[in-house]
Amino acid sequence: MTDIEVSEPDVHRAFEALKRDAEAGGYFLNPDTGFVNSLVQGLITNQRRYGYPACPCRLASGRKDDDLDICCPCDYRDPDLDDFGACYCALYVTSAILSGQQTLSSIPERRPARAERRARQPVLPASANLLSSLPYTVWRCKVCGYLCAREHPPGICPICKVTKDRFERFI
Ligand code: SF4
């Protein structure tokens, strides 16, 4: 039971926005609308509770810097779609799941433990010194892998629509 009220119109609006963004980026929502609506309700609740849309299937810490990797869409969505045909929550699915060619199964948690996440440092290539002379920084979207060479990361990823705090310096 949550003390945060989420109205049906709120869920409907968020559902439509999510569907629009997913389809514009070549992604698919789970065809079970009732199930998706319950996840959307969880996302809205988390947005209101924490100030960011933490994954409704995981326990958020309440600290955005710790939870950035599980802000929806999370950093693990695309590898889970590749390996299992769905993200951890099964909010997003592949065309194979959508068409019934593949059956949904349970998806193991691939998010590393907190200590391991904190220990991870971006790995620069051996030729980093040479690349440092490039006129622009190359930024990588941690959610979908989109790369762009510019002074700062884009405000919104043009592919998966996450915000600029989900970008990492790639080169
Ligand atoms: S994309 Fe990630 S954060 Fe969003 S619902 Fe799926 S598993 Fe949760």
Side-chain angles (χ1 to χ4, degrees):
M1 190 72 181
T2 173
D3 54 348
I4 298 174
E5 296 271 331
V6 181
S7 69
E8 270 187 43
D10 287 345
V11 172
H12 178 71
R13 267 193 300 276
F15 174 93
E16 291 299 328
L18 204 62
K19 188 167 185 290
R20 197 173 48 242
D21 286 349
E23 289 174 356
Y27 294 95
F28 304 97
L29 294 186
N30 192 311
D32 183 340
T33 306
F35 173 70
V36 170
N37 278 340
S38 68
L39 293 174
V40 170
Q41 186 163 8
L43 285 170
I44 297 172
T45 300
N46 285 346
Q47 174 71 49
R48 291 178 185 171
R49 176 177 291 143
Y50 303 120
Y52 51 88
C55 179
C57 308
R58 294 172 163 117
L59 191 60
S61 71
R63 293 181 300 277
K64 191 175 181 184
D65 58 336
D66 271 349
D67 293 338
L68 208 51
D69 63 319
I70 56 162
C71 285
C72 190
C74 62
D75 292 4
Y76 315 105
R77 177 186 66 175
D78 286 17
D80 280 339
L81 284 170
D82 286 345
D83 292 348
F84 305 104
C87 70
Y88 183 63
C89 291
L91 172 62
Y92 292 94
V93 297
T94 59
S95 57
I97 296 282
L98 201 62
S99 65
Q101 287 174 318
Q102 187 183 351
T103 310
L104 259 183
S105 56
S106 76
I107 297 148
E109 173 62 291
R110 76 166 69 225
R111 186 189 196 201
R114 186 167 181 264
E116 194 185 330
R117 293 199 306 276
R118 295 215 147 225
R120 282 187 177 181
Q121 296 291 334
V123 181
L124 285 177
S127 52
N129 286 341
L130 285 176
L131 293 172
S132 67
S133 62
L134 291 174
Y136 293 103
T137 302
V138 177
W139 300 95
R140 176 183 178 275
C141 173
K142 290 197 276 185
V143 175
C144 70
Y146 167 73
L147 294 176
C148 57
R150 48 190 283 170
E151 201 172 336
H152 302 290
I156 301 285
C157 174
I159 304 300
C160 68
K161 315 296 181 205
V162 295
T163 48
K164 68 178 177 187
D165 50 2
R166 308 297 294 281
F167 277 75
E168 64 184 355
R169 192 184 168 123
F170 186 66
I171 296 174

